[in-house]
Amino acid sequence: MNAVLSGITAEALDPAALCARIGDDRAGAVACFIGVVRDHDAGMPVTAIDYSAHPAAGRVLDGICRRIAAREGVHAVGAWHRTGGLVVGDVAMVVAAAAEHRGQALTAVSDLVDLVKAELPAWKCQWLPDGSHVWSGIA
């Protein structure tokens, strides 16, 4: 069974520690993605983001990770997503994969991030400099 580690948390994420947990002696590559809050989105300046998630988000994230971990050559997968208030520069998401080869690890991380963005029941409220806000991820 391949290792799967994931979580939704209001606590600050430590990318180096989380990526280190994904190492596997069978793997020739470990790829990590660190998503940070940027100062703009769609041409608008952003000062902060409030992330919220459905109570089932942890189970959904675990399921996404398990689908990626089942791939040929992938030995371990991890994904963690923040909730709560974040400011520009804060880490919002960490995704890591350990795989037999570089391409497998990089593809696993890229695909996992895309699946999180498409399937995770999480929403963000982006705060603008004038105090107004814009929600995204709301269906």
Side-chain angles (χ1 to χ4, degrees), residues 62-81:
D62 182 71
I64 292 169
C65 288
R66 288 185 186 286
R67 286 166 33 206
I68 298 295
R71 291 182 176 182
E72 180 70 31
V74 175
H75 299 301
V77 172
W80 300 268
H81 200 295

Side-chain angles (χ1 to χ4, degrees), residues 7-139:
I8 306 290
T9 182
E11 302 298 319
L13 297 173
D14 180 346
L18 294 171
C19 290
R21 292 177 61 193
I22 296 304
D24 186 292
D25 288 344
R26 299 171 294 165
V30 176
C32 247
F33 167 81
I34 303 165
V36 298
V37 176
R38 64 178 176 247
D39 68 356
H40 67 281
D41 186 43
M44 299 180 302
V46 173
T47 60
I49 293 178
D50 289 329
Y51 281 103
S52 57
H54 188 277
R59 288 190 307 274
V60 172
L61 185 57
D62 182 71
I64 292 169
C65 288
R66 288 185 186 286
R67 286 166 33 206
I68 298 295
R71 291 182 176 182
E72 180 70 31
V74 175
H75 299 301
V77 172
W80 300 268
H81 200 295
R82 281 283 307 273
T83 58
L86 287 79
V87 297
V88 173
D90 282 348
V91 175
M93 181 169 54
V94 176
V95 172
E100 208 57 36
H101 301 288
R102 171 188 71 240
Q104 292 165 318
L106 292 168
T107 299
V109 166
S110 181
D111 290 352
L112 202 154
V113 171
D114 288 345
L115 288 168
V116 165
K117 293 204 170 270
E119 298 178 13
L120 189 71
W123 309 275
K124 67 181 176 181
C125 177
Q126 298 183 110
W127 291 94
L128 311 179
D130 65 4
S132 64
H133 61 278
V134 177
W135 281 93
S136 63
I138 303 291

